[in-house]
Amino acid sequence: MNSFEEIYDRKNSRSVKWDAMGEIYNLDETSDVLPMWIADMDFPAPSQVLMALQKRLDHSIFGYSLMCDECREAVINWQAKRNDWQINPEWLLFHHGIIPAIASIIETYTEKDDKILVTPPVYPPFFQLAQNQDRKVLYSNLVEQDGHYTIDFTDFEEKLKESSLFILCNPHNPGGRVWSIEELQKVIKLCSKYDVLIISDEIHGDLIVGPERYTPLAKIAGEESNRIFTCLAPTKTFNLAGIQVAAIVATDKEKRLKLEKHALAHGSGMLNSFASTALIAAYNESESWLEQMLSVISRNMDYAIKELKRQVPGIEVTKPQATYLLWINYRSLHLSEKEVMDLLLTHGKVALEPGSKYGEAGLGYLRLNVACPRPVLEDGVNRIAFALTKEKKQMMETKEDVL
């Protein structure tokens, strides 16, 4: 049995995914609820990372730690090999995670009441971070057609006229789009036209499950790369979210200096003793693990899509181009989000992400995490199908009783 087939018990491990469901979903009892919501995997990290961490643990001294040249080289070599993107070592700044990195950029480069543009449905911290820093959020909703999202560039341009900063999700979460070069070039052109800075969250860039090719935004930006802050991390790729390490690529020296000053002002320049060890082992030694994992994810997606469509007539699920997340459209069931979530949690005993979490544009959708062993996924799909067909079955039974 390989590591992608074995079922690990994650309960009582301080796992947000498994141990925080009661608080998140307002449930008194969660022992029988299957979590398929937050975006981490139920797969162990690559063995090369585990061995490197064990070696570091055996050293037994955990003093103040730094991100060394080897860390920079690991990021640079990975991007060069995987995406043909040549990064200068000086461009790299390290942070505790993608969310703290984005928060630091917002705080450094915008002021109170400045307007920040996002494209819902999209990763909630994009607008939550802005709101919590007293910035105003502008929403340019993506357009969905046949299960794929595109940018409404007419509306996007109108909103840019008022914006100081745009936050891009590349590839897109939760929709799974790998933006084309043409789309990315248009984003760059319009942001340049209105002098808008760009944060490009590219944490899902390694998780490509379709034939499309992910393109780092800054790679194709030329001189306009100076307005782009690219956020990268091995944590989503190799299931290392709890290690907490990320990088910001900023080509403009003055902008980097301001971010370094922000880190000093907030005491956030130091990373934990395991961050560099995990990052190096992941990028330098774990590519084969990633390829195996992507194959498992792709097959899991195929299974889940086929079974959900078979068991729950009317729902729409399109295989994404990236991520390990399915975005399920249940609008044809004519159920409210509250009704759907009650059915899933009460009857199906399964926890998914409600679409409204990603903005109003996400109403009528659910986000399903398929990064788990196949038996767990099969159990989850059956629970979802049971829950979403329960009301219809009850209605039919009631009708038969009346007749």
Side-chain angles (χ1 to χ4, degrees), residues 195 277 279 332 367 376:
D195 194 23
T277 299
L279 180 144
S332 66
R367 197 186 76 166
V376 176

Side-chain angles (χ1 to χ4, degrees), residues 286-297:
S286 305
E287 188 173 25
S288 62
W289 180 94
L290 172 60
E291 296 302 333
Q292 293 177 57
M293 187 272 291
L294 291 175
S295 179
V296 171
I297 292 299

Side-chain angles (χ1 to χ4, degrees), residues 241-284:
I243 300 285
Q244 299 181 330
V245 60
I248 301 172
V249 182
T251 63
D252 185 89
K253 183 177 180 179
E254 290 186 6
K255 289 186 175 64
R256 290 197 305 275
L257 289 174
K258 286 185 178 180
L259 287 174
E260 288 174 349
K261 184 176 180 180
H262 180 277
L264 289 172
H266 290 73
S268 59
M270 200 81 68
L271 298 182
N272 72 71
S273 298
F274 297 101
S276 58
T277 299
L279 180 144
I280 292 167
Y283 282 147
N284 288 353

Side-chain angles (χ1 to χ4, degrees), residues 330-337 339-340 343 364 388 391:
Y330 65 82
R331 291 176 174 178
S332 66
L333 301 183
H334 304 295
L335 296 170
S336 70
E337 183 172 270
E339 289 172 328
V340 166
L343 287 168
L388 296 184
E391 184 169 285

Side-chain angles (χ1 to χ4, degrees), residues 19-295:
D19 297 329
M21 284 189 293
E23 179 181 353
I24 298 296
Y25 291 96
N26 194 28
L27 299 172
D28 294 327
E29 174 58 48
T30 62
S31 62
D32 56 351
V33 178
L34 179 65
M36 307 189 81
W37 61 293
I38 199 169
D40 69 15
M41 309 182 204
D42 289 328
F43 302 136
S47 59
Q48 294 84 351
V49 174
L50 299 178
M51 288 188 289
L53 289 173
Q54 184 61 55
K55 182 178 179 181
R56 179 66 186 87
L57 183 64
D58 290 343
H59 182 268
S60 75
I61 298 175
F62 309 106
Y64 297 116
S65 184
L66 56 80
M67 299 303 287
C68 57
D69 288 341
E70 191 178 358
C71 302
R72 291 177 172 81
E73 291 170 4
V75 175
I76 290 167
N77 293 339
W78 180 263
Q79 289 296 328
K81 180 179 182 181
R82 300 286 295 189
N83 302 310
D84 194 28
W85 184 22
Q86 309 304 316
I87 297 175
N88 188 314
E90 295 179 353
W91 299 348
L92 284 169
L93 301 170
F94 289 95
H95 219 299
H96 297 104
I98 293 287
I99 294 176
I102 293 174
S104 71
I105 297 166
I106 292 173
E107 187 171 9
T108 303
Y109 288 99
T110 64
E111 302 291 338
K112 182 179 178 181
D113 294 329
D114 277 357
K115 295 177 180 178
I116 295 175
L117 179 61
V118 299
T119 50
V122 75
Y123 186 48
F126 285 10
F127 47 86
Q128 292 169 346
L129 290 171
Q131 291 166 343
N132 288 332
Q133 293 191 35
D134 297 320
R135 276 60 169 171
K136 297 185 184 303
V137 182
L138 298 179
Y139 301 92
S140 180
N141 290 350
L142 298 176
V143 178
E144 186 271 329
Q145 185 174 9
D146 298 327
H148 290 287
Y149 282 103
T150 56
I151 298 171
D152 180 349
F153 279 107
T154 300
D155 182 69
F156 181 74
E157 182 171 5
E158 283 299 312
K159 302 288 173 56
L160 278 178
K161 294 176 182 178
E162 306 176 60
S163 304
S164 300
L165 175 70
F166 167 55
I167 309 179
L168 172 70
C169 202
N170 176 38
H172 183 259
N173 169 25
R177 262 304 308 276
V178 175
W179 303 114
S180 68
I181 290 177
E182 292 74 23
E183 288 170 311
L184 295 175
Q185 287 174 332
K186 197 161 186 177
V187 166
I188 295 167
K189 181 179 179 181
L190 289 173
C191 288
S192 174
K193 181 178 179 179
Y194 298 103
D195 194 23
V196 175
L197 296 175
I198 306 170
I199 296 174
S200 187
D201 176 359
E202 306 194 359
I203 195 171
H204 293 277
D206 297 318
L207 301 173
I208 308 301
V209 292
E212 296 76 16
R213 187 173 179 84
Y214 147 73
T215 302
L217 184 70
K219 173 187 171 183
I220 60 171
E223 292 183 358
E224 293 300 327
S225 67
N226 284 345
R227 72 175 62 254
I228 299 170
F229 302 93
T230 305
C231 296
L232 304 168
T235 50
K236 194 70 64 179
T237 306
F238 299 101
N239 204 30
L240 302 171
I243 300 285
Q244 299 181 330
V245 60
I248 301 172
V249 182
T251 63
D252 185 89
K253 183 177 180 179
E254 290 186 6
K255 289 186 175 64
R256 290 197 305 275
L257 289 174
K258 286 185 178 180
L259 287 174
E260 288 174 349
K261 184 176 180 180
H262 180 277
L264 289 172
H266 290 73
S268 59
M270 200 81 68
L271 298 182
N272 72 71
S273 298
F274 297 101
S276 58
T277 299
L279 180 144
I280 292 167
Y283 282 147
N284 288 353
E285 304 176 43
S286 305
E287 188 173 25
S288 62
W289 180 94
L290 172 60
E291 296 302 333
Q292 293 177 57
M293 187 272 291
L294 291 175
S295 179

Side-chain angles (χ1 to χ4, degrees), residues 385-403:
F386 173 78
L388 296 184
T389 56
K390 182 176 180 61
E391 184 169 285
K392 183 177 179 181
K393 290 177 181 177
Q394 287 179 334
M395 289 173 62
M396 292 178 65
E397 289 170 358
T398 301
K399 184 176 180 180
E400 289 175 358
D401 291 341
V402 171
L403 296 175

